[in-house]
Amino acid sequence: MPADVFNAFNVAFFFVDTALAENTYLQPQKLHSLMFLSQSYYAVAFEGRKLMPAVFVADERGPLEPNIYMAFSKGRPDIDTDYFLSPEVIKFLGAIWGRFGNHSTGKIIKMIKETDAFKSAKDRGNRAEIKLDDMQTSFNHGKKLINVEGLIEPKIYRTQTGKPVTVKAWTPGGKAAD
């Protein structure tokens, strides 16, 4: 099955650059966990489609993408890649970051390790592949950890009378909303 992003490095760079822009240290294991969550929720949101051509394995420390692990072992790699993400993918990854970026690495890993996908792979052995179908199923049924529709569609806020309103960030000197 083709992936919607050319390579996993583009997704990794998105998270590393987002953390850097927010002056936040992104631990390597948290990077892998965010990528794993992105792949899982993308499969749920887009009916089994792959976000990126990546293979995740169940390691003692949590989910791991071996190629990203090796490439980032000494810091951000200097590789020649066309860094391009569609606006839809940027919005999706931004939603993943917005939902999980402030969580501790330990909290995210604990959540992932409790999924059937991770447990199933771990039962097959250390560093066994976590199958995309299992990832999709784990995040789609039963223990739904976040609302996938909330990642794709903006949240609708309402006034006390029930009227829907649009909420946007306040910009000093900006034009007033209608």
Side-chain angles (χ1 to χ4, degrees):
M1 167 180 290
D4 289 349
V5 173
F6 182 67
N7 62 63
F9 288 97
N10 289 346
V11 174
F13 290 156
F14 173 87
F15 287 123
V16 169
D17 292 346
T18 300
L20 185 62
E22 293 184 10
N23 201 23
T24 302
Y25 174 67
L26 183 60
Q27 295 175 335
Q29 197 56 46
K30 187 171 182 178
L31 171 63
H32 290 273
S33 297
L34 290 170
M35 292 177 68
F36 175 84
L37 291 170
S38 298
Q39 185 84 310
S40 299
Y41 281 115
Y42 200 83
V44 171
F46 299 101
E47 300 172 3
R49 285 187 6 223
K50 279 182 118 174
L51 171 64
M52 61 192 137
V55 173
F56 291 91
V57 296
D59 187 74
E60 293 293 328
R61 295 164 286 181
L64 193 74
E65 206 296 328
N67 298 310
I68 297 296
Y69 179 79
M70 290 301 295
F72 278 78
S73 65
K74 294 183 180 179
R76 183 184 177 126
D78 183 20
I79 60 171
D80 187 23
T81 182
D82 291 331
Y83 183 64
F84 172 79
L85 297 172
S86 71
E88 295 81 17
V89 168
I90 290 172
K91 180 179 177 183
F92 183 84
L93 294 175
I96 293 288
W97 177 263
R99 176 64 175 90
F100 297 107
N102 290 325
H103 290 314
S104 71
T105 303
K107 181 176 180 175
I108 296 172
I109 292 171
K110 181 178 185 283
M111 177 186 73
I112 291 170
K113 284 184 170 183
E114 291 173 358
T115 65
D116 290 338
F118 189 88
K119 290 176 185 176
S120 175
K122 203 69 178 124
D123 288 346
R124 291 192 308 274
N126 192 38
R127 292 199 165 210
E129 181 180 344
I130 305 170
K131 298 175 184 173
L132 182 64
D133 289 343
D134 291 345
M135 293 163 67
Q136 181 181 4
T137 301
S138 286
F139 288 85
N140 197 27
H141 299 293
K143 300 176 187 173
K144 203 168 197 180
L145 301 175
I146 64 171
N147 178 2
V148 176
E149 289 77 25
L151 288 174
I152 303 166
E153 297 300 325
K155 195 174 212 177
I156 297 174
Y157 293 93
R158 298 187 182 276
T159 66
Q160 67 272 18
T161 60
K163 180 181 175 189
V165 295
T166 302
V167 179
K168 65 178 186 173
W170 177 72
T171 306
K175 203 173 187 180
D178 293 329

